[in-house]
Amino acid sequence: MVTPLNKKKTLRDFPKTYFNGKKVFVRVDFNVPINKESNSIREDYRIRRALPTIDFLIESGAKIILGSHLGRPKGTIMKDLSLEIVSSRLSELINKEVLFCRDFMKDNLSEKVDDMPNGSVIMLENLRFHKEETANDKIFSSNLASLAEIYINEAFGTSHRAHSSTYGMAQGFKTKIAGFLVSKEIKFISRMMKEPEHPFLVIIGGSKIRDKISALGNLLESADKIIIAGGAAYTFLKANGINIGSSIYEEEMIDWVREVYKKYQHKIVLPIDHVISKSFNKDDPCSISDKDIPEEHMALDIGPKTIELFNSIIKGPGYIFWNGPMGVFEFEQYSSGTIHVARAVALATWRGATSVVGGGETIAAIRKAEVLESEISHMSTGGGALLEYLGGSQLPGIEILD
Ligand code: AMP
């Protein structure tokens, strides 16, 4: 039988003394965006989110081994995907030396860890520099596992992958538990799946529906209202016979969308006007169009009437889940819709709604709108993992925990 996610053991279930002097492997998600030109970290949000767990373990006197991936090096060593700058940044954040291990297979790491004083931290190089990591190789997994006595998953965003560091290595541990961040993710997402406060409002944006259909299918069932905007809206509008010009849409999804629309029409809210342009360029002229979009024009953001409509819906109280931007928010002139929605979600949270925002793009949009982390109930670090879980798939990295 599958254990409900919110019944998993977490750091909170143990006293600090339990970790004193023990070697603890923490699978973190330090897959941060890197500025290649300056070899610097563009956004350290994912590192900061793991600090409560790392601080707790330092205070407990554990010997902490941190493992993560960065990007997709596919088993080769790529200088620009090294975690060395991440380990330096972590050292600044915790105001403590963080040792860095280039290759745990060669560096006699086990002995090094034994000799480390309690409360020390060591960070391993990008685990995906070894092709065995994503292959969930048995020997690689047991080599990793041999470094520690306790396993902690603090990488919700990679928990949908059965890799060595997220799954294979955990199998051999007597104590394998969720870190503070993972347990917070589980708490909010389980509640949303099982007993969201009503009205339950879902806001879906982004470019594609295809990756989100299972999640969408389940959310359509449980939500009271569902706003569909961004590129995802144009397949719905086209299926409804509306002229979408040259806007992005998914032909292969039209039949599915027609079915869904027939069943859930009363819940679905789509854009009623758009910001359009003839080309997908940052500075080309743009204008506003009503529902039907003229030929050779593409919609790149929601229009002012739609913003007004969405503002009147995103009010709270209840539960709000938002995934995906309302337009091409990376370009200034198409960011207004997303910024307004971010601010509306924050305002609804002030009014008492529980808000969960998920996915890298959506979190970037929250920042662009200058909405503070504290103005949203929970910002989920897991894009793919979150959608897979909402779609009904199990997360091996969570399932394996005690
Ligand atoms: P996703 O990964 O599916 O969540 O998509 C995120 C991307 O969707 C962002 O990079 C946006 O630029 C893009 N996007 C949002 N709205 C539109 C649109 N109307 N047309 C094209 N791309 C869009």
Side-chain angles (χ1 to χ4, degrees):
M1 203 187 83
V2 176
T3 322
L5 290 194
N6 52 0
K7 296 268 161 41
K8 291 291 177 185
K9 273 215 170 119
T10 77
L11 267 182
R12 250 176 264 283
D13 296 316
F14 297 84
K16 270 189 179 160
T17 47
Y18 180 77
F19 300 96
N20 189 29
K22 299 235 174 72
K23 295 179 276 182
V24 181
F25 185 98
V26 188
R27 180 31 163 117
V28 284
D29 183 3
F30 288 171
N31 184 26
V32 293
I34 301 281
N35 233 333
K36 281 194 179 151
E37 293 77 43
S38 54
N39 191 34
S40 59
I41 298 167
R42 199 148 31 93
E43 165 64 67
D44 64 2
Y45 178 66
R46 288 195 164 159
I47 308 175
R48 284 185 289 114
R49 294 294 297 272
L51 294 185
T53 288
I54 296 170
D55 283 339
F56 175 90
L57 291 170
I58 292 172
E59 282 167 26
S60 306
K63 299 177 179 191
I64 306 150
I65 305 152
L66 301 174
S68 177
H69 73 285
L70 176 61
R72 294 185 176 173
K74 297 189 175 158
T76 56
I77 296 173
M78 293 173 73
K79 242 181 136 189
D80 55 358
L81 292 179
S82 168
L83 280 166
E84 195 162 9
I85 48 168
V86 173
S87 102
S88 306
R89 179 74 190 120
L90 174 65
S91 169
E92 283 167 14
L93 289 169
I94 59 175
N95 198 19
K96 189 178 174 62
E97 185 188 15
V98 174
L99 300 168
F100 187 68
C101 172
R102 259 170 232 295
D103 189 345
F104 79 94
M105 304 272 266
K106 290 186 191 145
D107 288 353
N108 259 344
L109 186 61
S110 211
E111 283 166 33
K112 232 188 227 170
V113 176
D114 283 336
D115 293 342
M116 278 184 351
N118 292 355
S120 312
V121 185
I122 187 161
M123 167 104 231
L124 307 187
E125 180 55 290
N126 192 343
L127 291 170
R128 289 193 189 163
F129 282 180
H130 303 268
K131 63 178 184 326
E132 296 85 352
E133 158 66 2
T134 50
N136 190 22
D137 180 83
K138 264 201 173 128
I139 297 170
F140 184 79
S141 295
S142 67
N143 282 338
L144 267 178
S146 69
L147 298 173
E149 301 152 272
I150 295 171
Y151 175 86
I152 295 180
N153 178 358
E154 194 59 318
F156 183 75
T158 30
S159 294
H160 56 316
R161 311 261 182 236
H163 292 169
S164 273
S165 65
T166 56
Y167 184 77
M169 73 173 288
Q171 283 171 313
F173 282 85
K174 253 206 205 139
T175 309
K176 34 191 187 309
I177 57 178
F180 291 128
L181 174 61
V182 163
S183 65
K184 189 175 178 219
E185 296 269 12
I186 290 173
K187 185 180 118 195
F188 275 96
I189 297 159
S190 302
R191 191 160 119 207
M192 178 160 82
M193 295 273 289
K194 295 199 183 81
E195 47 202 31
E197 294 109 321
H198 291 275
F200 177 24
L201 170 66
V202 172
I203 309 164
I204 296 289
S207 57
K208 284 175 255 117
I209 309 171
R210 200 175 37 236
D211 315 338
K212 303 177 184 167
I213 49 169
S214 309
L216 251 175
N218 285 343
L219 290 168
L220 276 159
E221 196 55 52
S222 54
D224 298 297
K225 238 186 189 59
I226 179 155
I227 289 176
I228 298 174
Y234 297 96
T235 309
F236 275 82
L237 291 171
K238 189 173 173 73
N240 283 351
I242 287 161
N243 197 344
I244 62 161
S246 54
S247 305
I248 176 178
Y249 83 103
E250 292 156 278
E251 180 64 41
E252 72 281 12
M253 295 306 303
I254 292 274
D255 288 341
W256 182 84
V257 163
R258 279 209 184 101
E259 281 302 305
V260 158
Y261 198 75
K262 226 192 281 169
K263 194 165 169 199
Y264 299 107
Q265 193 174 354
H266 57 291
K267 295 184 179 181
I268 298 175
V269 184
L270 297 168
I272 50 173
D273 65 343
H274 323 269
V275 182
I276 57 168
S277 179
K278 279 191 163 172
S279 61
F280 190 92
N281 282 320
K282 187 157 112 226
D283 304 311
D284 281 358
C286 62
S287 56
I288 307 290
S289 109
D290 267 333
K291 211 172 204 175
D292 277 295
I293 297 162
E295 292 306 323
E296 292 171 21
H297 284 74
M298 62 184 84
L300 296 169
D301 194 10
I302 52 174
K305 284 188 208 157
T306 307
I307 291 177
E308 215 172 292
L309 171 69
F310 289 1
N311 271 337
S312 72
I313 297 170
I314 309 170
K315 276 211 158 131
Y319 211 99
I320 301 174
F321 172 62
W322 176 25
N323 177 279
M326 302 289 100
V328 184
F329 77 106
E330 297 91 335
F331 298 168
E332 216 54 48
Q333 57 182 349
Y334 306 119
S335 64
S336 170
T338 307
I339 288 176
H340 275 90
V341 165
R343 293 189 178 151
V345 172
L347 206 59
T349 314
W350 279 109
R351 290 198 193 106
T354 303
S355 53
V356 176
V357 172
E361 303 280 355
T362 322
I363 288 176
I366 289 272
R367 295 210 181 294
K368 192 157 190 167
E370 294 177 358
V371 166
L372 302 175
E373 259 167 61
S374 55
E375 292 177 293
I376 303 291
S377 313
H378 179 59
M379 306 228 295
S380 173
T381 47
L386 178 62
L387 288 173
E388 290 211 11
Y389 182 56
L390 291 176
S393 305
Q394 282 172 29
L395 305 179
I398 306 289
E399 272 308 315
I400 191 79
L401 303 179
D402 297 335

